[in-house]
Structure formats: C-alpha cells, structure tokens
Amino acid sequence: MSDVVLSCKGLVKRFGGITATNNVTLELKRGARHALIGPNGAGKTTLINLLTGVLEPTEGSITLEGRDITKLAPHLRVRSGMVRTFQINQLFASMTPLETLALVVSQHRGLGASIWKRLGADAAVTQRCTELLEQFRLAEVMNQRTEHLAYGKRRLLEIAIALACEPRVLLLDEPVAGVPAGEREELLQTVAALPADVSVLLIEHDMDLVFSFANRMTVLVNGTVLTEGDPDQIANDPEVKAVYLGHGEDAHA
C-alpha cells in the first residue's frame, strides 16, 4: 500500500489569460499533517477547489489512493473518502448540532434523511453523534439552534460534520478564520486532536496554528510551489521569509 493518499501532478488552472494554478505537484502522505501556506492570491483556494472537483483543471491530474479522480464529481470524491471544510460556514441555521450530525451520519450510512427526525431510533447513529459531540466539545450546546452558537462552536460543528463522513483525507480551509481570540484555543486543541488515521491538508494564515499542527508544509506563491519542507526548513528559508513570513507574519525562526 502506497503511503501517498492524495496527489496532484502538473495542475494548471487558467481563467482566460490568468493562470491561477501553475504546474502544481503535491503529495499528501498517509496520516499527514500537511499545511498549504502562502500570501493572499497565491492560489491556495483554487488548488483546493481543483482537488475537490469544484473546478476542473486545465492541465494535470489528481489521484486519490491510487485512483485517478481528475474528472470525478465532487460528491463522488466525498464518497471516495475526501472531505473539505470551507472558509465560510455551510450550516443549517435552524437546526441544532445534534440534529445536524444525526442527519449527516444517517445519510452517510445510507439510512436516508428521515432517520434524524426520530432521534434515538437507530442506536449506532445515536452513539456516533454522541462521540462527535464530545470530541468536538459540542455536548453542552447540542440542543441549541446553530444560528445561536458562538462562532467558534460553529467552526467546530463544521469540522464535526466533515468527520461524520468518515474521511480518509480531510481538507481544512482556514478553520480559525474569523474566530474571536477567546474561542481560538478550544478550536486549536480540537484540530490538534484529529484522528491520526485521517490525513489532513490545512490551508491557514494563522502561523501559530500552522507551526503547532503541521509536520510538512508547502508554500504557494503566484499559483506556483515555491518550496516544501518540514516546519524548521520553512521557518528558516530566506525566500519564504522574503515573500510571506516576513510580511507582517510571525517568522517562527
């Protein structure tokens, strides 16, 4: 079994005369904690949209666990084990965390969308929801409408939804974006405690999170891979400091 779970080779995405992603090659290892960093406009979200099938590449290929998924529909990529979160919450405002997770777990297990209306009717669904609520520190707010949750809790719920789909590859798109300082620590600790068997690709501007979480980093600048390495290599790379970490960011040197 290969230790590479997700890879892309020579990915190019052009929008008219603009090249948003330029010959990007990246490998995500099994169990990885891999961060994708770079300045605004570097092409990070475009790359994630290519990996998840929201966009189709102009050139290049994407492989998930040895299978070419370059042209696979987004929902089929989810079924194949690759799930993402978004910069902006994609949640049902009028539903509670318990209802939301019961719906997702039920659908993922092929039980249909109606089972969540009879919460507790399926013991396995109930058990999985309880586990997720505890793991993501949502148990105390599980019966509150999502629209009334603190923003940090909403971000936790979004990651819990992703884990409810039992991914082998999880793409986290700026999980702490917009989260107030007082709520960040809970989120950071929860992200750090994600299951070891889930390979994670993290996009994030918060360098404290990146350097505490990642064991591998890829730096993207102007749609091109500038360099890749472990956290120490990236922190001490003069080019990275010049184009990114030195621009008002904590260099972590």
Side-chain angles (χ1 to χ4, degrees), residues 7-65:
S7 69
C8 60
K9 294 183 179 179
L11 274 194
V12 176
K13 182 59 183 179
R14 298 189 187 95
F15 297 97
I18 298 172
T19 302
T21 305
N22 185 19
N23 195 33
V24 171
T25 293
L26 183 148
E27 290 187 342
L28 184 68
K29 300 290 182 70
R30 194 171 305 278
R33 297 295 184 259
H34 195 134
L36 181 65
I37 66 173
N40 288 328
K44 302 184 296 296
T45 297
T46 298
L47 178 58
I48 293 297
N49 285 336
L50 290 169
L51 294 175
T52 54
V54 175
L55 294 173
E56 186 173 331
T58 308
E59 298 173 19
S61 63
I62 304 164
T63 303
L64 178 65
E65 296 189 317

Side-chain angles (χ1 to χ4, degrees), residues 25-131:
T25 293
L26 183 148
E27 290 187 342
L28 184 68
K29 300 290 182 70
R30 194 171 305 278
R33 297 295 184 259
H34 195 134
L36 181 65
I37 66 173
N40 288 328
K44 302 184 296 296
T45 297
T46 298
L47 178 58
I48 293 297
N49 285 336
L50 290 169
L51 294 175
T52 54
V54 175
L55 294 173
E56 186 173 331
T58 308
E59 298 173 19
S61 63
I62 304 164
T63 303
L64 178 65
E65 296 189 317
R67 175 189 179 194
D68 189 324
I69 61 165
T70 309
K71 296 187 180 298
L72 197 66
H75 71 282
L76 295 177
R77 298 187 197 206
V78 173
R79 285 189 198 171
S80 299
M82 180 167 59
V83 180
R84 76 177 288 183
T85 64
F86 293 83
Q87 285 177 293
I88 300 172
N89 282 322
Q90 313 279 310
L91 299 171
F92 299 107
S94 63
M95 292 174 63
T96 69
L98 176 57
E99 291 170 340
T100 301
L101 290 172
L103 172 61
V104 175
V105 171
S106 298
Q107 288 188 317
H108 180 72
R109 298 187 176 197
L111 300 173
S114 62
I115 189 75
W116 72 270
K117 295 179 181 178
R118 305 188 304 278
L119 292 175
D122 186 290
V125 171
T126 301
Q127 180 179 350
R128 182 60 179 143
C129 289
T130 300
E131 292 169 354

Side-chain angles (χ1 to χ4, degrees), residues 37-42 205-207 211 219-222 226 234-235 237-252:
I37 66 173
N40 288 328
H205 284 288
D206 185 309
M207 290 297 104
F211 279 88
V219 183
L220 207 61
V221 177
N222 296 324
L226 176 68
I234 297 301
D237 187 300
E239 269 195 294
V240 176
K241 286 183 178 180
V243 302
Y244 185 47
L245 295 180
H247 286 185
E249 301 284 352
D250 180 357
H252 286 259

